[in-house]
Amino acid sequence: MDFENSINSIAETIAERKNLVNTEESTKMTFIMPFLKALGYDVFDPSVVVPEYIADIGTKKGEKVDYAIFKDGKPFIYIEAKNHTENLSNHNNQLTRYFNTSPSVKFAILTNGIEYRFFTDLDQINIIDQIPFLTINLEKLKARDIKDLKKFICSDLNLDEILNTAKEKKYYQSIQDIFKREIENPSDDFVVLFAKQLTDKRMTASTIEEFRTYIKKSFKELINDIAYDKITSIKNNLQEINNDEDEESSDDEKEIITTEEELQGFYIVKSILASAGANLQDISYKDTLSYFAILYQNRVTKWICRLNFTKTKKWVSFPDDTYEQIEKLEDLYKLQDKIIKSYNDRK
Protein backbone atom coordinates (compact mmCIF):
# COMPACT_ATOMS: atom_id res chain seq x y z
CA MET A 1 0.00 0.00 0.00
CA ASP A 2 1.50 3.37 -0.97
CA PHE A 3 1.94 6.22 1.48
CA GLU A 4 -1.13 8.23 0.46
CA ASN A 5 -3.37 5.19 0.75
CA SER A 6 -1.88 4.37 4.14
CA ILE A 7 -2.62 7.84 5.50
CA ASN A 8 -6.14 7.79 4.08
CA SER A 9 -6.63 4.37 5.67
CA ILE A 10 -5.67 5.80 9.07
CA ALA A 11 -8.13 8.65 8.53
CA GLU A 12 -10.84 6.05 7.84
CA THR A 13 -9.86 4.15 10.98
CA ILE A 14 -10.30 7.35 12.99
CA ALA A 15 -13.80 7.80 11.56
CA GLU A 16 -14.67 4.17 12.27
CA ARG A 17 -13.25 3.76 15.76
CA LYS A 18 -12.99 7.19 17.37
CA ASN A 19 -16.01 6.58 19.57
CA LEU A 20 -14.53 3.26 20.72
CA VAL A 21 -11.13 4.69 21.68
CA ASN A 22 -11.37 6.09 25.19
CA THR A 23 -7.84 6.26 26.64
CA GLU A 24 -4.44 7.68 25.81
CA GLU A 25 -2.94 4.20 25.43
CA SER A 26 -5.64 3.08 23.00
CA THR A 27 -5.14 6.33 21.07
CA LYS A 28 -1.46 5.45 20.72
CA MET A 29 -2.10 1.88 19.62
CA THR A 30 -5.02 2.58 17.27
CA PHE A 31 -4.04 5.91 15.67
CA ILE A 32 -0.46 6.99 16.42
CA MET A 33 1.57 3.80 15.95
CA PRO A 34 -0.03 3.11 12.52
CA PHE A 35 0.84 6.71 11.60
CA LEU A 36 4.52 6.16 12.48
CA LYS A 37 4.47 2.87 10.62
CA ALA A 38 3.04 4.60 7.53
CA LEU A 39 6.03 6.97 7.65
CA GLY A 40 8.30 3.94 7.50
CA TYR A 41 9.47 3.83 11.11
CA ASP A 42 9.67 0.34 12.59
CA VAL A 43 7.66 0.78 15.78
CA PHE A 44 8.89 -2.60 17.02
CA ASP A 45 12.60 -1.80 16.61
CA PRO A 46 13.94 -0.18 19.84
CA SER A 47 16.86 1.29 17.90
CA VAL A 48 14.39 3.30 15.82
CA VAL A 49 11.34 4.04 17.97
CA VAL A 50 11.70 4.16 21.75
CA PRO A 51 8.48 4.47 23.76
CA GLU A 52 8.59 6.12 27.18
CA TYR A 53 12.03 7.60 26.45
CA ILE A 54 13.72 9.14 29.48
CA ALA A 55 14.42 12.84 28.86
CA ASP A 56 15.81 14.15 32.15
CA ILE A 57 15.09 17.82 32.80
CA GLY A 58 17.83 19.46 34.85
CA THR A 59 17.80 18.02 38.34
CA LYS A 60 14.44 16.38 37.67
CA LYS A 61 15.20 12.77 36.73
CA GLY A 62 13.03 10.10 35.18
CA GLU A 63 10.94 12.44 32.98
CA LYS A 64 9.65 10.51 29.99
CA VAL A 65 8.53 11.55 26.52
CA ASP A 66 6.02 9.22 24.87
CA TYR A 67 8.17 8.38 21.84
CA ALA A 68 11.67 9.19 20.67
CA ILE A 69 12.59 8.45 17.05
CA PHE A 70 16.28 7.77 16.56
CA LYS A 71 18.62 8.53 13.67
CA ASP A 72 22.30 7.54 13.70
CA GLY A 73 22.00 6.35 17.28
CA LYS A 74 20.60 9.63 18.64
CA PRO A 75 17.04 10.88 19.15
CA PHE A 76 16.03 13.45 16.53
CA ILE A 77 12.23 13.54 16.92
CA TYR A 78 10.31 13.66 20.20
CA ILE A 79 6.61 12.83 20.17
CA GLU A 80 4.25 13.71 22.98
CA ALA A 81 0.95 11.83 22.68
CA LYS A 82 -2.41 12.62 24.21
CA ASN A 83 -5.88 11.11 24.16
CA HIS A 84 -7.72 12.06 20.96
CA THR A 85 -10.31 13.90 23.07
CA GLU A 86 -7.74 16.36 24.47
CA ASN A 87 -7.05 19.91 23.31
CA LEU A 88 -3.40 20.05 22.29
CA SER A 89 -3.07 23.72 23.17
CA ASN A 90 -3.02 22.71 26.82
CA HIS A 91 0.20 20.68 26.48
CA ASN A 92 2.80 22.79 24.64
CA ASN A 93 4.87 23.54 27.78
CA GLN A 94 5.58 19.90 28.54
CA LEU A 95 7.01 19.29 25.07
CA THR A 96 9.09 22.48 25.35
CA ARG A 97 10.87 21.18 28.46
CA TYR A 98 11.82 17.92 26.79
CA PHE A 99 13.06 19.55 23.57
CA ASN A 100 15.27 22.08 25.31
CA THR A 101 17.35 19.41 27.06
CA SER A 102 18.25 17.38 23.95
CA PRO A 103 20.62 19.01 21.40
CA SER A 104 20.27 16.14 18.90
CA VAL A 105 16.50 16.53 18.68
CA LYS A 106 15.54 18.57 15.60
CA PHE A 107 11.77 18.15 15.62
CA ALA A 108 9.01 17.67 18.14
CA ILE A 109 5.49 16.46 17.44
CA LEU A 110 2.52 17.03 19.69
CA THR A 111 -0.43 14.83 18.76
CA ASN A 112 -3.71 13.39 19.92
CA GLY A 113 -3.71 10.87 17.07
CA ILE A 114 -5.97 13.07 14.95
CA GLU A 115 -4.14 16.39 14.91
CA TYR A 116 -0.36 16.54 14.52
CA ARG A 117 1.59 19.69 15.37
CA PHE A 118 5.21 19.79 14.17
CA PHE A 119 7.72 22.04 15.95
CA THR A 120 11.39 22.90 15.49
CA ASP A 121 13.83 25.60 16.68
CA LEU A 122 13.88 28.26 13.96
CA ASP A 123 13.86 31.27 16.27
CA GLN A 124 16.59 30.15 18.69
CA ILE A 125 18.79 27.07 18.49
CA ASN A 126 17.69 24.27 20.83
CA ILE A 127 14.70 26.30 22.05
CA ILE A 128 11.45 25.02 20.63
CA ASP A 129 9.36 27.56 18.73
CA GLN A 130 6.06 28.51 20.30
CA ILE A 131 4.22 28.12 17.00
CA PRO A 132 4.21 24.84 15.03
CA PHE A 133 5.52 25.12 11.48
CA LEU A 134 3.08 22.46 10.33
CA THR A 135 -0.33 21.36 11.61
CA ILE A 136 -2.16 18.44 10.04
CA ASN A 137 -5.61 17.18 10.96
CA LEU A 138 -6.29 13.67 9.67
CA GLU A 139 -10.04 14.33 9.79
CA LYS A 140 -9.58 17.26 7.40
CA LEU A 141 -6.84 16.02 5.07
CA LYS A 142 -5.80 18.15 2.13
CA ALA A 143 -3.69 17.06 -0.82
CA ARG A 144 -0.88 19.34 0.33
CA ASP A 145 -0.89 17.62 3.75
CA ILE A 146 0.13 14.35 2.10
CA LYS A 147 2.89 16.18 0.25
CA ASP A 148 4.17 17.75 3.49
CA LEU A 149 4.04 14.47 5.41
CA LYS A 150 6.07 12.68 2.73
CA LYS A 151 9.09 14.75 3.77
CA PHE A 152 9.09 12.82 7.07
CA ILE A 153 9.15 9.36 5.46
CA CYS A 154 12.04 7.48 7.05
CA SER A 155 13.72 6.38 3.82
CA ASP A 156 13.50 9.83 2.18
CA LEU A 157 14.39 11.97 5.18
CA ASN A 158 16.32 15.17 4.33
CA LEU A 159 16.72 17.34 7.43
CA ASP A 160 17.94 20.42 5.55
CA GLU A 161 14.97 20.26 3.17
CA ILE A 162 12.53 19.90 6.07
CA LEU A 163 14.09 22.84 7.92
CA ASN A 164 13.88 25.03 4.82
CA THR A 165 10.25 24.01 4.36
CA ALA A 166 9.61 24.63 8.06
CA LYS A 167 10.85 28.20 7.72
CA GLU A 168 8.58 28.84 4.76
CA LYS A 169 5.60 27.17 6.43
CA LYS A 170 6.09 29.18 9.60
CA TYR A 171 5.94 32.47 7.72
CA TYR A 172 3.02 31.32 5.55
CA GLN A 173 1.05 30.39 8.66
CA SER A 174 1.97 33.59 10.49
CA ILE A 175 0.93 35.74 7.54
CA GLN A 176 -2.37 33.87 7.28
CA ASP A 177 -3.01 34.29 11.02
CA ILE A 178 -2.30 38.02 10.84
CA PHE A 179 -4.55 38.38 7.81
CA LYS A 180 -7.38 36.49 9.51
CA ARG A 181 -7.13 38.73 12.58
CA GLU A 182 -7.15 41.87 10.47
CA ILE A 183 -10.17 40.69 8.50
CA GLU A 184 -12.14 39.87 11.64
CA ASN A 185 -11.05 42.91 13.64
CA PRO A 186 -8.89 45.41 11.71
CA SER A 187 -6.25 47.10 13.86
CA ASP A 188 -5.83 50.86 13.86
CA ASP A 189 -2.59 50.65 11.82
CA PHE A 190 -4.30 48.43 9.24
CA VAL A 191 -7.27 50.81 8.97
CA VAL A 192 -5.01 53.85 8.63
CA LEU A 193 -3.06 52.14 5.83
CA PHE A 194 -6.25 52.05 3.74
CA ALA A 195 -7.92 55.22 4.99
CA LYS A 196 -4.96 57.46 4.08
CA GLN A 197 -5.29 56.30 0.48
CA LEU A 198 -9.02 57.07 0.41
CA THR A 199 -9.50 60.32 2.31
CA ASP A 200 -7.76 63.54 3.31
CA LYS A 201 -9.45 63.52 6.72
CA ARG A 202 -7.31 63.60 9.83
CA MET A 203 -6.86 60.15 11.32
CA THR A 204 -8.92 60.82 14.42
CA ALA A 205 -10.51 58.06 16.49
CA SER A 206 -13.88 58.64 14.84
CA THR A 207 -12.37 58.53 11.32
CA ILE A 208 -10.53 55.30 12.09
CA GLU A 209 -13.69 53.74 13.49
CA GLU A 210 -15.66 54.85 10.43
CA PHE A 211 -13.17 53.22 8.03
CA ARG A 212 -12.88 50.14 10.23
CA THR A 213 -16.55 49.47 9.45
CA TYR A 214 -15.96 50.00 5.73
CA ILE A 215 -12.96 47.66 5.70
CA LYS A 216 -14.72 44.84 7.57
CA LYS A 217 -17.66 44.96 5.18
CA SER A 218 -15.40 45.21 2.12
CA PHE A 219 -13.40 42.15 3.13
CA LYS A 220 -16.56 40.17 3.83
CA GLU A 221 -17.93 40.99 0.38
CA LEU A 222 -14.56 40.25 -1.26
CA ILE A 223 -14.29 36.81 0.36
CA ASN A 224 -17.88 35.99 -0.61
CA ASP A 225 -17.18 37.04 -4.20
CA ILE A 226 -14.02 34.91 -4.38
CA ALA A 227 -15.89 31.89 -2.99
CA TYR A 228 -18.76 32.44 -5.45
CA ASP A 229 -16.36 32.71 -8.40
CA LYS A 230 -14.58 29.53 -7.32
CA ILE A 231 -17.84 27.57 -6.98
CA THR A 232 -19.08 28.87 -10.33
CA SER A 233 -15.81 27.92 -12.00
CA ILE A 234 -16.00 24.38 -10.60
CA LYS A 235 -19.58 23.98 -11.79
CA ASN A 236 -18.76 25.28 -15.26
CA ASN A 237 -15.81 22.94 -15.69
CA LEU A 238 -17.17 19.88 -13.87
CA GLN A 239 -17.85 17.93 -17.07
CA GLU A 240 -14.30 18.50 -18.31
CA ILE A 241 -12.60 17.10 -15.22
CA ASN A 242 -11.71 13.41 -14.94
CA ASN A 243 -9.87 11.25 -12.44
CA ASP A 244 -6.55 11.55 -14.25
CA GLU A 245 -6.05 15.26 -13.67
CA ASP A 246 -3.51 17.29 -15.58
CA GLU A 247 -0.06 16.50 -14.18
CA GLU A 248 0.83 20.16 -14.37
CA SER A 249 -1.91 21.21 -11.97
CA SER A 250 -0.80 21.53 -8.35
CA ASP A 251 -1.86 19.00 -5.70
CA ASP A 252 -3.67 21.77 -3.78
CA GLU A 253 -6.04 22.39 -6.72
CA LYS A 254 -7.20 18.78 -7.19
CA GLU A 255 -10.88 18.06 -6.83
CA ILE A 256 -12.47 14.71 -6.03
CA ILE A 257 -14.60 13.64 -9.00
CA THR A 258 -16.72 10.49 -8.79
CA THR A 259 -16.70 8.89 -12.25
CA GLU A 260 -19.45 6.93 -13.92
CA GLU A 261 -17.13 3.91 -14.00
CA GLU A 262 -16.65 4.03 -10.21
CA LEU A 263 -20.41 4.24 -9.68
CA GLN A 264 -20.93 1.26 -11.98
CA GLY A 265 -18.34 -0.66 -9.96
CA PHE A 266 -20.21 0.29 -6.78
CA TYR A 267 -23.49 -1.06 -8.16
CA ILE A 268 -21.83 -4.31 -9.27
CA VAL A 269 -20.44 -4.82 -5.75
CA LYS A 270 -23.88 -4.04 -4.31
CA SER A 271 -25.46 -6.64 -6.58
CA ILE A 272 -22.88 -9.21 -5.44
CA LEU A 273 -23.62 -8.41 -1.80
CA ALA A 274 -27.37 -8.50 -2.42
CA SER A 275 -26.99 -12.06 -3.70
CA ALA A 276 -25.29 -12.87 -0.38
CA GLY A 277 -28.23 -11.49 1.61
CA ALA A 278 -26.66 -8.16 2.62
CA ASN A 279 -28.86 -5.30 3.77
CA LEU A 280 -28.16 -2.82 0.97
CA GLN A 281 -29.06 0.12 3.19
CA ASP A 282 -25.80 -0.60 5.05
CA ILE A 283 -23.69 -0.32 1.89
CA SER A 284 -22.38 3.09 0.84
CA TYR A 285 -19.28 4.62 -0.68
CA LYS A 286 -16.68 7.33 -0.09
CA ASP A 287 -14.58 8.84 -2.87
CA THR A 288 -11.07 10.21 -2.21
CA LEU A 289 -8.22 11.52 -4.36
CA SER A 290 -6.59 8.08 -4.22
CA TYR A 291 -9.40 5.55 -4.38
CA PHE A 292 -13.14 4.87 -4.31
CA ALA A 293 -14.06 3.04 -1.07
CA ILE A 294 -17.12 0.81 -0.72
CA LEU A 295 -18.26 0.85 2.90
CA TYR A 296 -20.29 -1.15 5.37
CA GLN A 297 -22.09 1.29 7.69
CA ASN A 298 -23.96 0.08 10.72
CA ARG A 299 -22.90 0.93 14.26
CA VAL A 300 -19.45 1.80 12.88
CA THR A 301 -18.13 2.39 9.37
CA LYS A 302 -15.75 -0.14 7.83
CA TRP A 303 -14.50 -0.50 4.27
CA ILE A 304 -15.19 -3.64 2.26
CA CYS A 305 -12.99 -2.93 -0.75
CA ARG A 306 -11.45 -0.03 -2.63
CA LEU A 307 -11.54 0.62 -6.35
CA ASN A 308 -8.69 2.42 -8.08
CA PHE A 309 -9.56 3.00 -11.71
CA THR A 310 -7.31 5.00 -14.05
CA LYS A 311 -7.04 5.16 -17.81
CA THR A 312 -4.33 2.50 -17.83
CA LYS A 313 -5.27 0.08 -15.04
CA LYS A 314 -7.99 -1.11 -12.71
CA TRP A 315 -7.31 -2.73 -9.37
CA VAL A 316 -9.27 -3.64 -6.27
CA SER A 317 -7.79 -3.73 -2.76
CA PHE A 318 -9.10 -5.44 0.36
CA PRO A 319 -8.63 -4.87 4.11
CA ASP A 320 -6.30 -7.89 4.35
CA ASP A 321 -3.78 -5.91 2.23
CA THR A 322 -4.36 -8.03 -0.89
CA TYR A 323 -4.85 -6.55 -4.34
CA GLU A 324 -6.53 -7.81 -7.50
CA GLN A 325 -6.04 -6.29 -10.94
CA ILE A 326 -8.96 -6.53 -13.37
CA GLU A 327 -9.26 -5.90 -17.08
CA LYS A 328 -12.85 -4.63 -17.16
CA LEU A 329 -15.68 -3.86 -14.76
CA GLU A 330 -17.37 -7.21 -15.36
CA ASP A 331 -14.30 -8.90 -13.82
CA LEU A 332 -15.58 -7.73 -10.43
CA TYR A 333 -17.95 -10.71 -10.54
CA LYS A 334 -14.87 -12.97 -10.56
CA LEU A 335 -13.97 -11.49 -7.16
CA GLN A 336 -17.35 -12.11 -5.61
CA ASP A 337 -16.03 -14.65 -3.09
CA LYS A 338 -13.46 -12.16 -1.78
CA ILE A 339 -16.00 -9.33 -1.75
CA ILE A 340 -18.55 -11.40 0.18
CA LYS A 341 -15.89 -12.63 2.63
CA SER A 342 -14.71 -9.05 3.23
CA TYR A 343 -18.31 -7.95 3.86
CA ASN A 344 -18.88 -10.80 6.31
CA ASP A 345 -15.64 -9.93 8.12
CA ARG A 346 -16.75 -6.30 8.42
CA LYS A 347 -20.10 -7.11 10.02
Side-chain angles (χ1 to χ4, degrees):
M1 185 180 295
D2 65 25
F3 177 71
E4 186 171 347
N5 282 342
S6 296
I7 295 299
N8 277 310
S9 179
I10 295 169
E12 286 188 2
T13 298
I14 290 171
E16 293 172 3
R17 303 180 184 175
K18 185 169 66 173
N19 293 335
L20 304 175
V21 174
N22 299 313
T23 66
E24 184 177 305
E25 284 305 313
S26 59
T27 296
K28 292 177 185 177
M29 294 297 296
T30 310
F31 302 151
I32 298 173
M33 290 183 69
F35 179 82
L36 297 178
K37 186 178 178 182
L39 288 170
Y41 298 100
D42 187 345
V43 296
F44 301 111
D45 185 345
S47 69
V48 178
V49 178
V50 180
E52 298 296 311
Y53 180 73
I54 296 176
D56 290 338
I57 302 170
T59 59
K60 194 172 182 180
K61 304 299 182 181
E63 288 288 302
K64 296 179 180 179
V65 63
D66 289 302
Y67 298 100
I69 296 180
F70 276 64
K71 180 178 174 63
D72 300 325
K74 296 180 181 179
F76 81 103
I77 298 178
Y78 277 168
I79 301 174
E80 184 64 17
K82 300 298 174 186
N83 192 328
H84 73 86
T85 59
E86 293 199 39
N87 184 338
L88 294 182
S89 298
N90 299 329
H91 299 284
N92 280 0
N93 291 337
Q94 187 176 4
L95 193 58
T96 297
R97 297 200 310 273
Y98 296 144
F99 189 96
N100 296 349
T101 61
S102 306
S104 66
V105 174
K106 299 301 181 185
F107 304 101
I109 301 173
L110 179 61
T111 182
N112 57 12
I114 297 175
E115 182 179 331
Y116 288 79
R117 297 182 183 182
F118 292 75
F119 296 84
T120 189
D121 55 353
L122 294 174
D123 293 334
Q124 188 175 347
I125 297 297
N126 215 38
I127 304 294
I128 193 172
D129 298 335
Q130 292 299 305
I131 299 173
F133 67 86
L134 177 64
T135 299
I136 290 177
N137 189 319
L138 296 185
E139 290 186 313
K140 302 175 183 177
L141 269 176
K142 305 179 185 68
R144 67 170 175 264
D145 293 337
I146 301 293
K147 185 177 180 181
D148 289 334
L149 283 175
K150 283 183 177 179
K151 292 183 173 68
F152 285 89
I153 292 176
C154 180
S155 58
D156 300 328
L157 202 65
N158 184 319
L159 296 183
D160 290 335
E161 182 184 358
I162 296 175
L163 288 171
N164 288 334
T165 301
K167 184 177 180 180
E168 294 177 359
K169 290 280 184 184
K170 177 187 175 184
Y171 288 127
Y172 293 161
Q173 186 60 54
S174 297
I175 290 169
Q176 291 172 23
D177 290 342
I178 292 170
F179 193 60
K180 287 177 183 177
R181 289 200 303 270
E182 295 292 358
I183 289 175
E184 293 170 0
N185 188 24
S187 65
D188 288 356
D189 289 341
F190 191 73
V191 173
V192 169
L193 174 67
F194 283 86
K196 281 187 173 180
Q197 300 178 62
L198 300 171
T199 183
D200 294 328
K201 293 181 180 180
R202 289 179 57 245
M203 293 296 106
T204 62
S206 61
T207 300
I208 291 173
E209 195 57 40
E210 175 188 356
F211 276 86
R212 195 190 320 275
T213 302
Y214 298 153
I215 289 171
K216 290 176 72 173
K217 186 173 182 180
S218 295
F219 271 121
K220 183 176 180 180
E221 291 182 353
L222 177 62
I223 291 171
N224 287 340
D225 288 346
I226 292 173
Y228 177 80
D229 289 343
K230 182 67 174 177
I231 292 170
T232 302
S233 176
I234 292 172
K235 287 181 177 179
N236 290 340
N237 292 285
L238 196 57
Q239 298 302 319
E240 300 174 11
I241 301 174
N242 57 52
N243 259 17
D244 296 322
E245 295 182 353
D246 191 335
E247 292 181 359
E248 296 181 359
S249 67
S250 71
D251 286 342
D252 293 354
E253 294 171 345
K254 289 184 178 180
E255 303 293 340
I256 297 172
I257 305 299
T258 301
T259 66
E260 183 65 28
E261 194 172 43
E262 288 171 331
L263 288 175
Q264 289 176 5
F266 171 64
Y267 291 125
I268 290 174
V269 171
K270 281 189 76 171
S271 70
I272 291 171
L273 295 176
S275 68
N279 183 350
L280 296 187
Q281 291 184 344
D282 294 338
I283 310 302
S284 63
Y285 68 82
K286 176 184 177 182
D287 204 356
T288 74
L289 289 172
S290 305
Y291 54 77
F292 180 94
I294 299 176
L295 310 173
Y296 169 74
Q297 291 183 303
N298 198 311
R299 291 184 298 275
V300 295
T301 300
K302 299 179 180 181
W303 63 284
I304 299 168
C305 61
R306 292 171 178 161
L307 312 180
N308 191 312
F309 294 163
T310 69
K311 290 180 178 179
T312 58
K313 66 177 183 178
K314 295 180 178 65
W315 52 265
V316 185
S317 63
F318 295 89
D320 61 1
D321 287 334
T322 59
Y323 301 80
E324 299 287 348
Q325 189 159 352
I326 61 176
E327 297 291 329
K328 53 188 181 298
L329 277 175
E330 291 83 351
D331 291 343
L332 282 169
Y333 288 107
K334 298 178 182 179
L335 304 177
Q336 64 178 358
D337 290 343
K338 291 201 69 170
I339 291 170
I340 292 171
K341 181 181 183 302
S342 180
Y343 165 74
N344 288 328
D345 290 344
R346 300 297 91 191
K347 288 195 298 181

